[in-house]
Amino acid sequence: MPNSRRQFIKMAGLSLGAVLLGSDNCFSQSPIKGKRPNIVWLISEDNSQHFCNIYNRDGVDMPNVNKLAGKGVIFDHAFSNCPVCSAARSTLITGCYPNKLAIHYHRKYQPVELPDGLKPFPAYLKQAGYYTSYFRKTDFNFNWGKDVFDSNKTWQGRQPGQPFFHQHQFAITHEGPLQKAGKTGIDNKDIKLPPHYPDTEVFRKTYNQYYKHHEILDEQIGEMVAKLEAQGVLEDTFIFYFGDHGGVTPRSKGYLYETGLHVPMVMRIPANFRHLIDLKAGTRFDGFVNFIDMAPTALNLAGVKIPELADGKPFLGPKVDIKAVARQDEAYGIADRFDEKYDMVRTVRKGQFKYHRNYQGFNFDALQNNYRYKMIAYQEWRELYKAGKLNEVQSQFFLGRDPETLFDVVKDPYEVKNLAKDPAYRDVLAQLRGKLQNQAKALPDLSFFPESYLCEHAFGDPIAFGIKNKGRIAELIDVADLALEDYDKAKAGIDRALADKDPFKRYWALIVCSCFGNQAADFYDKAKAIAEKDDNELVKVRAAEFLGLTGAADPRPTIMKVLAETDKPLVALITLNTVVMLTDGKAGWQFNITDKSVKAKDNLIDCRVKLYLAAEK
């Protein structure tokens, strides 16, 4: 077995230079010579492209955004790779898929250490002579040092003529201000709601208030542009306006639907650096761009070499083949833990088709997340479901999902018509399934180990952990994907995995059993034995979960014992996620849980126990 990171890297077929870049090798001059452009990111929180009329004719008129577009480019297909704040921002600032670095859990339980050869990209700009600043928010899921930003307010401290990068967040569109809008807002009966929402006064008020927030946002964007113009730097500055992820009305932020990932993006081309861009002002661009591409693009525009560990590619600037970028038509989405709620989902969109892989298909989108349900619209939606007042489409949010789903997002932009079982789309389904499987194995996707295990074994150096465990992760993916087979075909693989010495093969085999439900009755006896005797706490929990979902046995003794004995907060949190799913879902189990029931202590555990489970009683 290799005993050093250098040996791991050699085994993976990577050059040492690709992984262990020293600080002196992380950047070099590109063909840009002399004066360099400024780069400003104007980031609105929690909004998808559905609310601006440059994308949706029913959206808000945003004249200042339109002015940027008139001097620049509208990107029709810009995507966050994660649908929630810290995971999206960690992606933006590193240029990496966050699930290969374990920086996709929102928010961090423990900060991850970035590997050698990878820093937040403003550190490279700073090293190259840029002044770097941000306003209001960083929210990264990793440790970052003092070499990243010069200021947490503005670019005003720079030296005369020094180029700058500035990242500015606008909070007006954040989820928080919308939570009470269902009561305090103004009803607008002309608003056209998406088909999965109930058409109620609460939802119309919420939607209408969110439109109002966009009008304020537009004014604030105009003020920032005016400031750049007043200081005489507007025509030296690339301005990117975009949302940090989708949101924030229900089933948007935190979910991998288009409303959670598809963001507005407009880029203004400065007159003095028009020669760097092979696009004309006042046009629209159809190629897909992802958040992993934003850091490489900023570095490329600045003439700074892109770290080899970055997953993204520049879509603007020197040596970019804009015709090749225009042909790009793929975007990957990653979702896992949001606060106290776990639900592992991955997506890939190619062209007009979007594939969802729901690794815990028995979960339902409406699974309790305390912050989400502070919004009155969320609360009303659940009340209407419980009262039987929703139609089939509006009820989907509260029902378990298939392990894989497929949508035509051009014909079905809100992803309510699943095409996965339609024979006419068999080839599309197979193609996108294969793409997602290949990407998960190639990264590799670290989430095939529970977060509790990653925290102990991977957070110190996720790249080295991924290299060492790449083959093992591929095997775990193969076990998880037994859920995509017909049960009779999957049965032998489940049986082997349940008997395997690797606890996480047993872990995933039991999740697969839960996806099959009563079809997997052959494994009730094995699951009962595992729930009682397995030496891994979370494997026991997954066995109890399967038995509880199917009604084959009472899951509570096993689950309560794990909660009472584990001193690991993340193990307890994952277990409590199962408790909430078994309580609120169709299984309907009732647990008598108080803060004394749980040995491990943590704020997120309190969210589950004190603020929800205890309150339900």
Side-chain angles (χ1 to χ4, degrees):
M1 179 177 290
N3 56 15
S4 75
R5 177 164 50 181
R6 288 176 181 265
Q7 287 174 293
F8 293 151
I9 292 165
K10 288 178 179 179
M11 285 176 62
L14 300 174
S15 71
L16 289 175
V19 178
L20 303 177
L21 292 171
S23 61
D24 292 336
N25 296 322
C26 288
F27 74 88
S28 64
Q29 301 296 326
S30 82
I32 299 175
K33 296 180 180 180
K35 188 176 181 180
R36 295 190 178 197
N38 309 314
I39 300 166
V40 170
W41 285 2
L42 303 179
I43 306 173
S44 55
E45 297 196 44
D46 298 2
N47 68 303
S48 63
Q49 54 91 37
H50 301 75
F51 294 91
C52 181
N53 72 351
I54 63 173
Y55 295 102
N56 179 358
R57 57 185 166 186
D58 295 320
V60 179
D61 182 24
M62 301 180 71
N64 288 302
V65 171
N66 289 338
K67 287 179 184 178
L68 292 177
K71 297 286 187 178
V73 178
I74 297 170
F75 290 87
D76 284 324
H77 294 104
F79 298 93
S80 176
N81 298 107
C82 295
V84 72
C85 310
S86 65
R89 293 172 188 279
S90 298
T91 303
L92 278 169
I93 209 75
T94 61
C96 292
Y97 285 113
N99 47 332
K100 87 170 186 182
L101 296 173
I103 56 175
H104 58 301
Y105 298 104
H106 175 78
R107 282 186 169 83
K108 57 183 177 290
Y109 173 77
Q110 176 181 307
V112 171
E113 298 296 331
L114 291 182
D116 294 338
L118 183 67
K119 297 180 180 181
F121 82 87
Y124 300 131
L125 292 176
K126 186 176 178 180
Q127 194 171 356
Y130 271 71
Y131 188 87
T132 60
S133 59
Y134 71 93
F135 176 74
R136 191 178 171 271
K137 205 170 190 179
T138 50
D139 204 11
F140 306 141
N141 289 330
F142 51 82
N143 282 320
W144 53 284
K146 296 180 179 179
D147 61 343
V148 179
F149 292 108
D150 293 295
S151 171
N152 62 358
K153 294 181 180 179
T154 180
W155 60 88
Q156 299 301 330
R158 69 194 179 107
Q159 297 298 312
Q162 183 181 11
F164 64 89
F165 167 80
H166 180 69
Q167 175 179 312
H168 194 99
Q169 279 72 224
F170 299 98
I172 185 60
T173 50
H174 189 268
E175 181 175 7
L178 206 65
Q179 287 173 343
K180 305 300 181 185
K183 285 186 178 178
T184 61
I186 299 172
D187 192 6
N188 182 349
K189 294 185 179 180
D190 293 329
I191 282 179
K192 183 184 294 185
L193 294 173
H196 54 285
Y197 289 160
D199 189 0
T200 68
E201 181 179 336
V202 165
F203 270 82
R204 291 192 301 269
K205 283 182 175 180
T206 302
Y207 234 66
N208 191 60
Q209 188 63 39
Y210 201 44
Y211 283 147
K212 297 295 184 185
H213 291 175
H214 277 73
E215 293 172 356
I216 298 171
L217 166 66
D218 188 70
E219 294 174 2
Q220 294 174 344
I221 289 172
E223 291 169 2
M224 283 295 297
V225 176
K227 184 182 293 185
L228 292 166
E229 187 171 25
Q231 294 179 8
V233 295
L234 180 62
E235 298 305 337
D236 294 326
T237 305
F238 284 99
I239 301 174
F240 291 80
Y241 159 63
F242 55 95
D244 64 349
H245 50 74
V248 65
T249 54
R251 190 183 170 268
S252 300
K253 180 179 179 179
Y255 298 93
L256 294 183
Y257 300 104
E258 291 294 281
T259 50
L261 295 177
H262 198 164
V263 298
M265 183 178 290
V266 175
M267 183 270 296
R268 187 186 188 278
I269 305 171
N272 295 332
F273 289 94
R274 188 172 288 128
H275 60 284
L276 295 181
I277 301 295
D278 196 15
L279 292 171
K280 294 182 179 180
T283 60
R284 305 183 79 106
F285 189 74
D286 198 46
F288 284 31
V289 298
N290 289 262
F291 273 16
I292 57 166
D293 303 319
M294 292 297 291
T297 297
L299 292 172
N300 195 47
L301 288 172
V304 177
K305 187 179 178 181
I306 299 159
E308 292 185 48
L309 280 178
D311 294 310
K313 304 294 181 185
F315 56 87
L316 296 170
K319 297 186 177 180
V320 170
D321 182 349
I322 200 65
K323 292 182 179 179
V325 177
R327 292 192 294 270
Q328 291 178 176
D329 66 348
E330 293 183 7
Y332 289 87
I334 300 106
D336 228 296
R337 177 174 60 76
F338 304 128
D339 299 325
E340 76 278 19
K341 172 194 169 187
Y342 283 92
D343 190 15
M344 183 176 169
V345 184
R346 301 291 184 265
T347 59
V348 57
R349 177 175 169 182
K350 182 172 178 59
Q352 72 189 79
F353 292 104
K354 175 95 163 281
Y355 174 83
H356 291 238
R357 178 68 174 93
N358 303 304
Y359 284 95
Q360 296 157 281
F362 45 88
N363 266 352
F364 42 94
D365 285 336
L367 191 72
Q368 175 72 17
N369 176 284
N370 288 350
Y371 194 73
R372 295 291 94 81
Y373 278 91
K374 287 183 178 181
M375 186 179 292
I376 292 171
Y378 265 106
Q379 296 170 19
E380 184 193 57
W381 200 3
R382 182 159 60 188
E383 290 165 1
L384 291 172
Y385 172 72
K386 289 181 177 179
K389 295 182 178 179
L390 300 178
N391 64 32
E392 182 179 353
V393 170
Q394 294 162 355
S395 298
Q396 288 176 0
F397 187 63
F398 302 91
L399 303 174
R401 307 149 311 191
D402 290 338
E404 60 181 356
T405 51
L406 179 69
F407 303 98
D408 182 334
V409 295
V410 173
K411 296 178 180 178
D412 176 24
Y414 293 102
E415 293 159 275
V416 298
K417 184 179 180 181
N418 180 18
L419 304 174
K421 295 180 180 179
D422 187 332
Y425 297 93
R426 185 181 295 113
D427 291 344
V428 175
L429 180 70
Q431 179 193 28
L432 296 189
R433 179 197 295 154
K435 282 185 174 294
L436 198 64
Q437 289 169 330
N438 291 338
Q439 199 238 21
K441 291 179 179 180
L443 284 176
D445 188 332
L446 302 188
S447 276
F448 288 89
F449 296 101
E451 185 184 12
S452 54
Y453 186 84
L454 295 177
C455 186
E456 293 181 6
H457 299 277
F459 280 16
D461 192 336
I463 290 293
F465 177 86
I467 292 170
K468 178 181 178 180
N469 289 281
K470 191 171 185 179
R472 186 181 178 191
I473 291 171
E475 292 178 357
L476 296 178
I477 292 170
D478 289 340
V479 174
D481 284 345
L482 290 171
L484 306 180
E485 304 282 358
D486 292 332
Y487 174 71
D488 288 341
K489 186 176 180 181
K491 183 178 174 181
I494 295 171
D495 198 30
R496 284 193 300 272
L498 287 176
D500 200 279
K501 64 181 181 180
D502 186 337
F504 298 114
K505 286 188 179 180
R506 303 195 299 275
Y507 176 92
W508 277 106
L510 289 160
I511 290 175
V512 170
C513 286
S514 291
C515 290
F516 280 116
N518 289 319
Q519 272 188 286
D522 300 297
F523 297 107
Y524 286 160
D525 288 342
K526 286 190 176 180
K528 290 174 184 177
I530 289 171
E532 182 179 351
K533 297 179 180 179
D534 202 276
D535 58 4
N536 184 287
E537 294 168 310
L538 286 178
V539 175
K540 289 182 177 181
V541 170
R542 292 305 184 195
E545 181 178 71
F546 166 50
L547 296 169
L549 283 168
T550 56
D554 188 341
R556 292 173 294 188
T558 297
I559 287 173
M560 295 299 290
K561 190 171 188 292
V562 169
L563 290 174
E565 294 180 353
T566 187
D567 58 359
K568 299 176 181 179
L570 288 174
V571 169
L573 193 64
I574 293 168
T575 303
L576 286 167
N577 199 78
T578 292
V579 170
V580 174
M581 186 269 296
L582 290 174
T583 300
D584 288 357
K586 285 188 175 182
W589 291 97
Q590 297 303 306
F591 288 77
N592 183 23
I593 290 182
T594 69
D595 58 335
K596 294 180 180 179
S597 306
V598 185
K599 180 180 180 180
K601 304 301 178 186
D602 181 79
N603 289 338
L604 292 177
I605 291 173
D606 285 347
C607 280
R608 278 297 191 213
V609 176
K610 294 180 180 179
L611 299 181
Y612 186 63
L613 290 170
E616 277 206 328
K617 296 179 178 61

